Amino acid sequence: MLGSREEEVRRLLRRLTQMGRLIEVAHDHFFTRDRVVESAAAVRLLAERRQNGKITAAAFRDRIGTGRKLAIQILEFFDRTGTTIREATCGGSGRTDQSH
């Protein structure tokens, strides 16, 4: 019974994504367009506050008030869509806002 209900929900989420109402940021993580825009604005704000324009996953996580795993999944979505560019270094990694 639960499996069939889960599949119903997945179909609904896929349909809403096709309609442009939701965006699948990561597997089984759907957000409204407004929430994605808000998250991108958080990236932009954080980058503007840094002299080098780079942000960290921890700063982004703290800004949007979520857990580390979800914050990284959102940042990886932004990397895939060209909103940010991930730059790995020996001292960690940062992302540069590309939305300008």
Side-chain angles (χ1 to χ4, degrees), residues 8-20:
E8 263 181 66
V9 171
R10 287 179 191 277
R11 273 196 302 271
L12 176 61
L13 291 170
R14 281 193 301 269
R15 180 71 181 126
L16 289 169
T17 300
Q18 291 168 347
M19 293 170 58

Side-chain angles (χ1 to χ4, degrees), residues 1-2 6-7 16 18 23 25 28-29 40 44-45 48 50 52-53 58 61 67 72 78 86 93 97 100:
M1 179 81 167
L2 182 60
E6 182 178 333
E7 187 51 41
L16 289 169
Q18 291 168 347
I23 297 171
V25 170
D28 285 345
H29 285 87
R44 197 167 17 269
L45 180 68
E48 288 171 356
R50 300 286 309 253
N52 65 6
R61 174 204 64 210
I72 289 173
F78 288 148
R86 182 169 189 257
S93 67
D97 175 30
H100 289 82

Side-chain angles (χ1 to χ4, degrees), residues 80-100:
R80 288 191 308 274
T81 60
T83 303
T84 58
I85 296 176
R86 182 169 189 257
E87 297 177 354
T89 64
C90 293
S93 67
R95 284 179 169 76
T96 305
D97 175 30
Q98 297 298 304
S99 62
H100 289 82

Side-chain angles (χ1 to χ4, degrees), residues 17-33:
T17 300
Q18 291 168 347
M19 293 170 58
R21 307 271 311 260
L22 294 178
I23 297 171
E24 187 172 12
V25 170
H27 179 71
D28 285 345
H29 285 87
F30 295 84
F31 292 92
T32 63
R33 288 189 164 284

